[in-house]
Amino acid sequence: MQLSVWTYEGPPHVGAMRVATGMKDVHYLLHAPQGDTYADLLFTMIERRGKRPPVTYTTFQARDLGKDTAELFQTAARDAVARFNPAALLVGSSCTAELIQDDPAGMAQAMRLDIPVIPLELPSYSRKENWGASETFYQIVRTLAVGDSSRPAPCQAGSPRPKANLLGPSALGFRHRDDIVEIAKILAALGIEINVTAPMGASAADIARIGEADFNIVMYPEIADTAARWLEKSFKQPFTKTIPIGHGATLDFIREVAALAGVDAAPALDLAEARMPWWSRSVDSTYLTGKRVFIFGDATHAIAAARVARDELGFVVCGLGCYNREFARDIRAAAAEHGVEPLITDDHLEVEDAIAAAHPELVLGTQMERHIAKRLSVPCAVISAPVHVQDFPARHSPQMGFEGANVLFDSWVHPLVMGLEEHLLTMFRDDPEFHDGAGASHLAHGTTSNPPRTGEGDHAQHGGGEAGLHFPDDIAPERFPSVSADALPPPRTGEDLGSAHGDVLELTRWTAEAETELKKIPFFVRGKARRNTEAYAAERGLASITIDTLYEAKAHYAR
């Protein structure tokens, strides 16, 4: 465990909260001090849930540490059971409470409550959030699951309609709510009944009958893999290995599910109305072919994104990594397939260095990579948790299934397209017809009070552009006569990262004509063009860079 400004995963008890919050009648009693009571912020503010999470805290304070905290814990347990009337009670400690070495499980068992008590041993200083969610879900299934494993297999004559469990969706998951809808459509087309969806939306009674299904669909291995393996061993339930993210993976998933259920795959394959394959074959896609993309997130979404990027959009994967070390083997195998070095780390600064070194033209990542890409002036799309409030849209926006493939297409291609549009706006900013003071073309008689701007324009305020001093529209530089733009250090941008990350090039003077020509290059690859040109000039001992030098360097690196 290390302290950091940003973290990809919280401690494991946050994972337990995600599982409990997704379920209907399970309550989580968390032995925690004041200050660890932040569940409401996670689920009501970020995920925008309409009700509070089912978490009760013992909320001990410093003065309580000098006496026995068992009575405090047991009082909180009795109050929680009486108030919320849960069907099952999870008990555990937060990372801070773990240090005082109380025994929440033992104290709860000694109370002999009339509901199942599920103790959670979540080592906060060696494990993290996804592992905590996985362990919590596994313990719930192991404690509550009963069932009849004598049902005939679905492919046998006289067997009932095949049933499947959907495993893995949880609260605070990336588009989990919408993914369930898309998988349900596929199963309905195949004539397969959904037995239980868990943990999201499941009750304790639902978990009790989880063994009645013929097989399990593992939607998110980070959460469901351990429970699925136990169910396979205990109830002879096989489980799916394909994650249906992307058009091709969805087709593979349908065939795998149909084989497990013993049904014809054709009805679900006929649903394949995703627009991505058509666009990928169209002439409009060719200007994006070969774009370099850097991918980082949880292993499930990162591996799936790499396949979609290469096989369905024609991108080149120049970086691939994940933050959850439990799936390092899978990431290494996928990285080898794409011919890149795997990046397995939970240090966002290491990720930033890797992105800067790879010079991608698109980043697919978490909310951390969104910030990193903005600093580097590179387009970005979010594909994985951790995410912020803007990635919990009110609209239907899945990642899985055929509609999910459409969402991926929109989410990934539009940042590149808008980057080109912003570049064109910048190029024509000084044009007498299109400058900021010219007014809208359909209102030719009107003018604006703002004078035309020169140079790079305002797109630097939005993550793009050259280094420089920019003021908001309502704050003019002349209001600060004592502040000289030359006296202030320029903000750190993508073009400064060569020196920021140790790749120091000898300073070379650019002529004014070369600088003007450089600005015609789209801003999201301009930094790379500048670095390549300066390296080319330094190798040849050129004291100044002209337009000819710029194009000679371009030709040199294009070979």
Side-chain angles (χ1 to χ4, degrees):
M1 186 175 184
Q2 65 180 19
L3 296 178
S4 178
V5 176
W6 288 341
T7 180
Y8 288 98
E9 295 183 86
H13 72 265
V14 173
M17 287 182 190
R18 290 176 55 189
V19 171
T21 301
M23 299 185 69
K24 290 180 179 178
D25 55 7
V26 172
H27 201 80
Y28 186 21
L29 177 61
L30 187 62
H31 194 36
Q34 274 188 327
D36 278 0
T37 54
Y38 44 73
D40 284 10
L41 295 177
L42 289 175
F43 298 103
T44 61
M45 184 186 77
I46 295 179
E47 193 176 11
R48 299 191 284 198
R49 281 188 162 254
K51 58 183 180 181
R52 296 182 61 189
V55 181
T56 293
Y57 304 90
T58 57
T59 320
F60 60 84
Q61 301 180 46
R63 63 174 177 267
D64 298 316
L65 298 180
K67 54 187 178 181
D68 186 9
T69 56
E71 182 179 353
L72 180 67
F73 178 90
Q74 292 178 339
T75 298
R78 291 191 190 93
D79 291 346
V81 171
R83 179 180 178 184
F84 299 105
N85 192 28
L89 184 68
L90 304 173
V91 295
S93 297
S94 72
C95 50
T96 310
E98 186 179 336
L99 297 174
I100 64 176
Q101 298 183 345
D102 279 340
D103 181 17
M107 290 187 288
Q109 294 287 357
M111 295 175 64
R112 300 186 181 279
L113 299 171
D114 58 358
I115 60 173
V117 175
I118 304 172
L120 301 177
E121 298 293 337
L122 306 177
S124 298
Y125 298 94
S126 60
R127 298 290 188 172
K128 293 194 174 181
E129 179 181 329
N130 278 324
W131 185 90
S134 175
E135 178 68 11
T136 300
F137 184 47
Y138 163 68
Q139 292 295 345
I140 290 174
V141 170
R142 184 169 182 173
T143 301
L144 301 179
V146 296
D148 180 13
S149 59
S150 65
R151 302 177 73 239
C155 56
Q156 295 178 357
S159 64
R161 183 184 182 189
K163 291 183 178 181
N165 297 316
L166 304 186
L167 304 183
S170 72
L172 213 64
F174 185 61
R175 310 292 170 82
H176 288 193
R177 173 200 66 189
D178 300 333
D179 287 346
I180 292 172
V181 175
E182 295 304 310
I183 300 305
K185 289 179 184 177
I186 292 173
L187 297 183
L190 292 171
I192 299 172
E193 180 182 345
I194 297 177
N195 180 52
V196 171
T197 300
M200 183 178 285
S203 64
D206 291 331
I207 300 297
R209 59 184 183 84
I210 202 170
E212 297 175 6
D214 300 297
F215 63 98
N216 291 311
I217 293 175
V218 174
M219 297 176 63
Y220 310 102
E222 281 84 357
I223 296 174
D225 186 74
T226 303
R229 293 181 185 278
W230 183 83
L231 288 167
E232 182 180 46
K233 180 179 178 181
S234 302
F235 292 95
K236 306 299 186 291
Q237 294 174 333
F239 61 93
T240 59
K241 310 301 190 297
T242 305
I243 307 301
I245 297 178
H247 186 266
T250 299
L251 296 176
D252 293 343
F253 171 79
I254 289 172
R255 297 184 184 103
E256 182 182 13
V257 169
L260 287 175
V263 299
D264 183 12
L269 295 175
D270 291 341
L271 297 175
E273 298 179 352
R275 298 175 182 87
M276 180 191 291
W278 171 86
W279 183 86
S280 297
R281 293 191 298 267
S282 72
V283 68
D284 289 340
S285 70
T286 56
Y287 74 99
L288 294 179
T289 301
K291 292 294 184 184
R292 294 167 57 82
V293 58
F294 192 101
I295 302 169
F296 191 86
D298 69 54
T300 294
H301 287 86
I303 293 171
R307 174 180 174 178
V308 173
R310 180 192 64 188
D311 297 347
E312 300 179 28
L313 290 173
F315 294 160
V316 174
V317 176
C318 65
L320 178 61
C322 74
Y323 55 78
N324 45 340
R325 297 179 183 276
E326 293 86 357
F327 290 82
R329 181 178 298 176
D330 299 323
I331 281 288
R332 291 192 181 101
E337 181 181 345
H338 291 275
V340 296
E341 286 294 320
L343 177 63
I344 302 162
T345 181
D346 57 3
D347 185 344
H348 61 88
L349 296 177
E350 187 175 347
V351 177
E352 181 172 358
D353 289 344
I355 293 174
H359 306 307
E361 291 154 289
L362 176 67
V363 174
L364 303 176
T366 72
Q367 68 167 338
M368 313 295 195
E369 283 65 51
R370 176 164 47 205
H371 291 296
I372 292 169
K374 186 174 182 179
R375 289 171 62 87
L376 303 183
S377 303
V378 179
C380 179
V382 173
I383 63 163
S384 162
V387 293
H388 213 336
V389 62
Q390 63 265 48
D391 294 305
F392 289 100
R395 68 185 184 279
H396 183 63
S397 185
Q399 299 287 285
M400 292 185 176
F402 296 119
E403 185 60 26
N406 291 333
V407 172
L408 295 182
F409 166 76
D410 288 342
S411 302
W412 300 7
V413 171
H414 288 176
L416 290 168
V417 174
M418 294 308 294
L420 290 172
E421 179 178 302
E422 190 169 351
H423 167 62
L424 292 175
L425 291 173
T426 300
M427 283 185 62
F428 290 101
R429 190 174 292 276
D430 297 328
D431 188 279
E433 183 178 355
F434 296 107
H435 66 73
D436 288 352
S441 59
H442 63 288
L443 298 174
H445 60 281
T447 59
T448 64
S449 58
N450 294 330
R453 296 182 184 134
T454 60
E456 288 293 315
D458 286 341
H459 69 266
Q461 299 177 21
H462 304 285
E466 301 288 295
L469 186 63
H470 299 276
F471 293 86
D473 292 340
D474 59 341
I475 304 179
E478 53 268 22
R479 289 180 56 188
F480 301 87
S482 61
V483 178
S484 169
D486 297 331
L488 295 176
R492 185 170 179 250
T493 69
E495 299 177 12
D496 302 321
L497 286 169
S499 59
H501 293 281
D503 183 18
V504 181
L505 299 174
E506 182 180 351
L507 292 178
T508 308
R509 186 180 65 84
W510 286 70
T511 65
E513 294 81 5
E515 283 279 7
T516 300
E517 193 71 14
L518 178 67
K519 292 175 182 179
K520 296 179 181 179
I521 298 174
F523 67 86
F524 45 84
V525 292
R526 192 180 302 145
K528 180 179 178 181
R530 178 185 286 275
R531 286 189 294 271
N532 286 345
T533 305
E534 290 177 349
Y536 178 86
E539 289 173 0
R540 286 154 182 76
L542 302 178
S544 63
I545 294 175
T546 65
I547 293 180
D548 290 341
T549 310
L550 177 63
Y551 283 99
E552 287 170 4
K554 180 178 183 294
H556 172 76
Y557 287 104
R559 294 190 185 104

